[in-house]
Amino acid sequence: MSADSHAASLPAAHKEFHDRMLGLLPSDRVFLGPFHTLALGDDASFYRLVPKIVVKVKDAGEVAWLLRAASDTGVAVTFRTAGTSLSGQALTDSVLVYLAGHFRGSRVHPGAGHVSLEPGVIGAEANVLLAPFGRKIGPDPASIGACMIGGIAANNSSGMCCGTAENSYKTVESMKLVFVDGDSLDTADPVSKARFAVTHAALLSELSAIRAEILADPELAARIRRKFKIKNTTGYGINAFVDFEDPFDILLHLVIGSEGTLAFIAEVTYRTVVEHPFKASALMFYPSIADACRATMALQTGTVSAVELMDRASLRSVEDKPGMPGFLKDLGPDAAAILVEVRGADKAELLARIDAALARVSGIEPLFPLVFMDNKDDYEKLWNIRRGLFTSVGGARKPGSAVIIEDVVFPIEHLAEGTVELQRLMAGHGFPEGIIFCHALEGNLHFVFCPDFADPVSVANYEKLINDVTSMVVGRYDGSLKGEHGTGRNMAPFVEMEWGRTAYALMRRLKRAFDPHNLLNPGVILTDDPQVHMKNLKSLPPVSPLIDPCIECGYCESVCPSRNVTTTPRQRITLQRHMALAAAKGDKGEYDLFHDAYAYFGNQTCAADGLCATVCPVGVDTGVFTKDYRRREATARGRAIGKWVADHYGLVTNLSRQGLRLSHAVHGLLGTRAMTAMTHGLRRLAPGLVPYWTPCAPKGAPKTCLRDTVAGKGRQVVYFPSCTTRAMGPSALDPDQRGLYEAVMSVLAKAGYDVVFPEGMKELCCGLTLESKGMKDDAARKAAELEGALRLASGDGAIPILCDASPCLYTMRCQVEPKLKLHEPVECIHDHCLKYLDIRPVDETVALHVSCSSVKMGLSARFNALARACAREVVVPRGIHCCGFAGDRGFFYPELNAAALADLRPQLPGSTTAGYSNSRTCEIGLSHHAGGPYQSIVYLVDRASRAKAE
């Protein structure tokens, strides 16, 4: 179905809105059709709504224009940043406005007391900006590595440490806003405020009137103050009416936590908070929940930064995980634990706070002696227990079931009894696997359970559980139905239950004052449908054991190189699940439609780098799934080609080398402009056959003399030059025109190593090239050949082995006998060679890119340390994860590489002389998009090193 056909099928209002969007935006930022809208419309909640139109916007001016069009046509819009929200507040069946990839401006104010952030900035990136000043933003949600500032502010996200004292509501200084009529306001600008006071006098007047009514009702005002002493994100933040008098201050704080229903946040300025450099943690075990809660209450008046409570079921869920202490299995049936963190500006303050914390709980008998750990490696092991709770349930759930994390808040004096009652309710309603953990200082209790929304019985049990939980939390304890996850759709029907008729009516009034026609995210926070929380429940049908554990949280998206060009791991899995449903229903037309579109958007532009697994709570590696998908999709011809390549690898490598030499010679004859025009023209004539060419393309590798060498120092290493090193030399623009082989040999010689080469080098390959294309059997065969050669050359693992390409080395570690000691260049030089080298840093600013394979091997810190030892200044651009070149994929899908590195060049100072990485193909794309050369870090080490006198 064509774009025109999809547009023609839209309702009249949406058709008019769509046509107006195409008058403003390029067509590649306006999406129609079930494939794109399903993929882009998903979020981390357990609901599924498919938007009619998805629009990607880049700046506040486009948002204003879009909102005017929405107001004129009466079309509802919903804003989306990272889509990590859990309560259904980033979903719509109307128009979804997508910000991810844009709105990434940031500015640290003088002194770092304030920071201004656009909504597309990831929370963790904001903290990276502030870290050099010893500051951070107040909110610290668990999803901070993936969620964005727009969502953090719009949901009033908090977390383990910020509580109610340092959340967005308490630390917001000002905002730039766009309203439903397209008008804007900068609450820090007197001129903007004066103009807004004229154009929106009715809105400001209504806010003042609501405030006056609340203050005239002492009982209501007191209730609002009382309920916001604990965490509360149920409904609107009507504490703004009692906390502030100026209508602009009220408006500013009402937008916090409003979930996109009142205005669009174009920028938020936060007051920053101190990030204490000294930390210590203790895991305290108690015989019962009651004892753990008594300890929490004792600590509440102290100087601890966080207390996380874990019930027995949650501890049981992680007791078999690697690295967990063995005594977890021996705990009694009612045991519980609290994880306590203290912080200090210096060691003395930290020790004083540890002593104070121990003194406060001294009257409560623990199961084991209490010990605080201040070594980062040690206390991180404790926090890994807490972090492992969610993954233990999400990863072990029955295929097809959802994983739900609800959060409620009890007054802390009722935390123990509320926890016990919630345990009983989950077990009684058919969710015995449910676990409970808690931001205990705030009484903010999270419970995790796994309903199967394809099973009517499970759906009914879920509804009964939610009804009983809401009645218990509100009716018995006057707690909050939401503490930090936002009201969304799943608690919208219960807002009036919690707040009462009068307060709820005032919330309705303020919504009408901001959004008279209910166009901003309707159905969220306030609803006329008492069953909205039970509609559009997400089905997660089994597809493959490789991706079935996915909970669609979206944590993977921040590191995915294709996130701004085609699809992300979460979206690929969503599409695969839809195809599985279509196949199960026998809907061949639907299946074929999605399958055909998936070829490019899901398969061909997946880098398969596996970085998604490094941030996935349940360890899903969509790259492994993509390789398996390519294997299943491979044609007989493709499999035959793969077998031929494996059988003739030396010839293929030689042909590649000769082809690169020919390309370089033609470039020399034609010049860059003609060469570019010719190759791009050939690509249009023969798509998929002619590789993308840039002036940064490598020349053919120089001839290498792979003979064993002896330095006479008694140190040995087996050196396996990768096939890229054997085929690809430097580009014409690279400052060092030696082949990588020569640079490696130079460093090894300076370090005094005898070098041994494996036999039959020209035919050897780790199998990565074949594996990435789904040729699993041929890849395994080549890996086995390589293992045999390396075993022989290394004396069955007696001699360490060096491979000069990080991706190849990572593949070898996954395929080859662990007894063989395998090292990539950074690891080998940092751990083995440096002690024999005299390093004299070059007086230059250099850029660094740590390849995804090095990240997965845990080498980022050593990579940085080695670069900083060899250069005066090292720049590591933020937000650049995988470069998107993905082996040879950058030659045939250059848009993937371009999208992944779009933010690279602006972050490189003009003084940068060169960039360094450890993957030859990555370096091609990095050089092209940085506008300056990238080479292996081995070249930098060679420049900076001399042989040390021994």
Side-chain angles (χ1 to χ4, degrees), residues 704-947:
T704 55
C705 183
L706 303 179
R707 291 192 304 221
D708 295 353
T709 62
V710 178
K713 302 290 187 181
R715 297 184 281 272
Q716 287 185 297
V717 63
V718 174
Y719 175 26
F720 168 56
S722 66
C723 56
T724 54
T725 298
R726 305 197 307 266
M728 297 179 181
S731 83
L733 303 178
D734 287 340
D736 195 322
Q737 287 293 301
R738 295 177 298 163
L740 177 56
Y741 159 83
E742 297 172 86
V744 171
M745 292 297 290
S746 176
V747 171
L748 292 176
K750 292 174 185 177
Y753 273 87
D754 301 342
V755 181
V756 179
F757 292 97
E759 294 292 332
M761 177 70 71
K762 69 176 184 177
E763 294 293 340
L764 295 181
C765 168
C766 67
L768 173 60
T769 301
L770 295 162
E771 182 201 21
S772 68
K773 293 174 173 56
M775 310 298 179
K776 186 176 180 180
D777 293 341
D778 293 311
R781 179 158 56 92
K782 296 305 292 183
E785 291 175 9
L786 176 61
E787 179 178 349
L790 293 178
R791 186 184 295 278
L792 182 64
S794 67
D796 204 28
I799 305 173
I801 299 163
L802 165 66
C803 175
D804 55 26
S806 179
C808 298
L809 193 282
Y810 178 77
T811 301
M812 291 161 62
R813 279 189 173 163
C814 295
Q815 301 285 344
V816 171
E817 166 63 47
K819 186 165 69 171
L820 299 182
K821 294 173 283 191
L822 302 169
H823 303 282
E824 64 92 70
V826 166
E827 189 177 28
C828 180
I829 295 170
H830 183 276
D831 295 356
H832 299 288
C833 297
L834 273 186
K835 56 190 171 186
Y836 304 118
L837 298 173
D838 178 20
I839 301 294
R840 301 173 186 177
V842 298
D843 188 24
E844 297 174 15
T845 298
V846 303
L848 194 65
H849 176 78
V850 183
S851 65
C852 41
S853 48
S854 294
V855 171
K856 290 188 289 185
M857 289 187 286
L859 298 178
S860 298
R862 275 177 275 189
F863 208 116
N864 273 274
L866 183 59
R868 295 182 193 284
C870 294
R872 171 178 49 80
E873 183 178 359
V874 177
V875 177
V876 183
R878 63 184 179 92
I880 307 293
H881 303 284
C882 172
C883 72
F885 209 89
D888 65 353
R889 207 148 289 266
F891 289 123
F892 297 98
Y893 305 98
E895 63 273 27
L896 175 62
N897 182 227
L901 298 180
D903 294 334
L904 176 60
R905 187 178 297 196
Q907 296 189 63
L908 298 178
S911 57
T912 306
T913 57
Y916 295 97
S917 187
N918 56 353
S919 167
R920 185 66 192 97
T921 52
C922 295
E923 291 152 16
I924 298 168
L926 289 161
S927 299
H928 179 53
H929 293 288
Y934 272 73
Q935 291 188 278
S936 170
I937 194 170
V938 175
Y939 291 98
L940 176 63
V941 176
D942 194 33
R943 290 178 60 204
S945 64
R946 307 286 186 276

Side-chain angles (χ1 to χ4, degrees), residues 391-556:
T391 64
S392 65
V393 177
R397 74 190 193 281
K398 183 183 75 173
S401 62
V403 58
I404 294 179
I405 314 175
E406 282 291 359
D407 79 305
V408 295
V409 185
F410 296 102
I412 195 168
E413 62 271 19
H414 297 300
L415 181 59
E417 54 192 305
T419 302
V420 171
E421 188 160 357
L422 186 53
Q423 290 173 327
R424 180 181 61 79
L425 286 175
M426 282 197 293
H429 287 302
F431 303 109
E433 81 288 349
I435 67 169
I436 296 173
F437 53 92
C438 175
H439 305 327
L441 289 176
E442 308 294 333
N444 183 194
L445 187 149
H446 293 56
F447 55 106
V448 184
F449 59 104
C450 301
D452 182 353
F453 290 135
D455 177 8
V457 174
S458 186
V459 172
N461 286 341
Y462 167 71
E463 184 172 18
K464 292 173 186 175
L465 174 63
I466 292 302
N467 288 337
D468 284 354
V469 167
T470 53
S471 297
M472 180 261 290
V473 171
V474 173
R476 193 164 307 167
Y477 300 110
D478 197 19
S480 306
L481 294 176
K482 283 292 183 180
E484 59 183 12
H485 292 173
T487 305
R489 282 179 160 76
N490 63 324
M491 282 299 152
F494 304 98
V495 175
E496 186 172 3
M497 171 195 286
E498 175 171 335
W499 277 104
R501 183 175 301 173
T502 301
Y504 188 70
L506 293 176
M507 291 183 188
R508 289 276 192 180
R509 276 179 60 185
L510 76 89
K511 168 65 171 173
R512 285 194 299 272
F514 280 89
D515 180 20
H517 303 293
N518 196 27
L519 299 180
L520 298 180
N521 214 6
V524 170
I525 297 185
L526 307 179
T527 183
D528 294 322
D529 184 355
Q531 286 294 302
V532 71
H533 65 303
M534 296 303 301
K535 295 178 178 177
N536 303 300
L537 298 174
K538 183 186 291 184
S539 178
L540 303 177
V543 175
S544 161
L546 295 172
I547 59 173
D548 287 343
C550 173
I551 56 177
E552 300 187 12
C553 65
Y555 286 19
C556 56

Side-chain angles (χ1 to χ4, degrees), residues 189-210:
D189 181 3
V191 174
S192 178
K193 290 168 68 174
R195 182 191 56 78
F196 191 83
V198 175
T199 59
H200 291 73
L203 168 59
L204 298 175
S205 177
E206 179 70 337
L207 296 181
S208 295
I210 293 173

Side-chain angles (χ1 to χ4, degrees), residues 213-224:
E213 289 185 30
I214 290 173
L215 296 182
D217 184 342
E219 184 177 345
L220 176 59
R223 176 168 175 73
I224 291 171

Side-chain angles (χ1 to χ4, degrees), residues 205-251:
S205 177
E206 179 70 337
L207 296 181
S208 295
I210 293 173
R211 179 177 189 273
E213 289 185 30
I214 290 173
L215 296 182
D217 184 342
E219 184 177 345
L220 176 59
R223 176 168 175 73
I224 291 171
R225 292 188 180 98
R226 183 175 68 253
K227 284 188 66 64
F228 281 102
K229 285 183 178 178
I230 61 175
K231 279 188 179 181
N232 192 322
T233 59
T234 310
Y236 288 110
I238 55 175
N239 51 329
F241 290 110
V242 298
D243 291 342
F244 301 97
E245 179 178 358
D246 186 317
F248 283 103
D249 289 333
I250 295 171
L251 183 153

